[in-house]
Amino acid sequence: MVGKNRINELIEKLKSRDPDVRNSSALELREIGDNSAVEPLLVEIFNPDNTNNRSTLVYALESLDCSRYFWEIFQLALSTKADVQMSALAILFEQEFWIFQEEELIRAKEFLSEHRDTIEIELYDDLLNLINDFYD
């Protein structure tokens, strides 16, 4: 069992400017599976400085409970980077999500519509069905 000190140390290393340090920490956090890493990973994923180096960070989320972060994961599913998109899609289709407000689904539908011309029709349909399933 990994102690909280080690987890906190790894979370702190996610802030490193060195992508190798961030990636190594993210992979170790993935292996540990401590859900306290979800928010810090998301912060670094959406940090504009990390735009070109976030694939491993998103991959690390796959083994963690992202059930409260539908909107964040949904945005990543429409990434132009295939590896980011694939990890986000794996999370969306393998985990169950808590939707607290209908506005979150409306926002996701609008975001999807904005990207309709930039993604494959099968992906568009799959994501639209995912959103609609929350209404059932």
Side-chain angles (χ1 to χ4, degrees):
M1 175 141 207
V2 178
K4 266 299 191 200
N5 287 341
R6 179 64 181 152
I7 292 168
N8 290 337
E9 177 184 317
L10 291 168
I11 288 172
E12 192 61 33
K13 286 182 178 183
L14 292 174
K15 298 174 188 173
S16 173
R17 298 188 86 168
D18 181 344
D20 292 333
V21 171
R22 274 196 315 273
N23 290 344
S24 175
S25 297
L27 290 173
E28 191 169 340
L29 287 164
R30 175 186 164 86
E31 286 180 34
I32 293 168
D34 189 292
N35 292 318
S36 66
V38 172
E39 283 189 36
L41 281 163
L42 286 169
V43 166
E44 294 309 317
I45 288 165
F46 286 101
N47 178 340
D49 293 337
N50 297 335
T51 300
N52 295 320
N53 294 295
R54 58 188 189 166
S55 303
T56 304
L57 302 175
V58 179
Y59 174 72
L61 288 174
E62 287 185 44
S63 70
L64 303 174
D65 178 5
C66 298
S67 62
R68 297 181 187 268
Y69 302 96
F70 174 78
W71 172 241
E72 291 84 351
I73 304 302
F74 192 85
Q75 291 175 82
L76 295 169
L78 294 174
S79 172
T80 57
K81 301 213 181 279
D83 43 2
V84 169
Q85 185 182 71
M86 293 305 292
S87 288
L89 289 170
I91 295 166
L92 282 175
F93 289 104
E94 292 173 12
Q95 295 189 25
E96 291 191 28
F97 288 86
W98 295 61
I99 304 296
F100 295 105
Q101 298 178 347
E102 187 174 349
E103 290 81 18
E104 194 171 6
L105 295 175
I106 293 168
R107 184 169 46 165
K109 258 188 183 177
E110 290 170 354
F111 191 69
L112 181 59
S113 291
E114 292 169 11
H115 289 82
R116 185 179 185 135
D117 295 334
T118 63
I119 61 173
E120 295 180 21
I121 191 68
E122 294 86 7
L123 176 58
Y124 177 87
D125 289 343
D126 288 346
L127 289 172
L128 186 58
N129 289 334
L130 177 75
I131 293 168
N132 289 332
D133 285 347
F134 284 107
Y135 289 107
D136 295 339

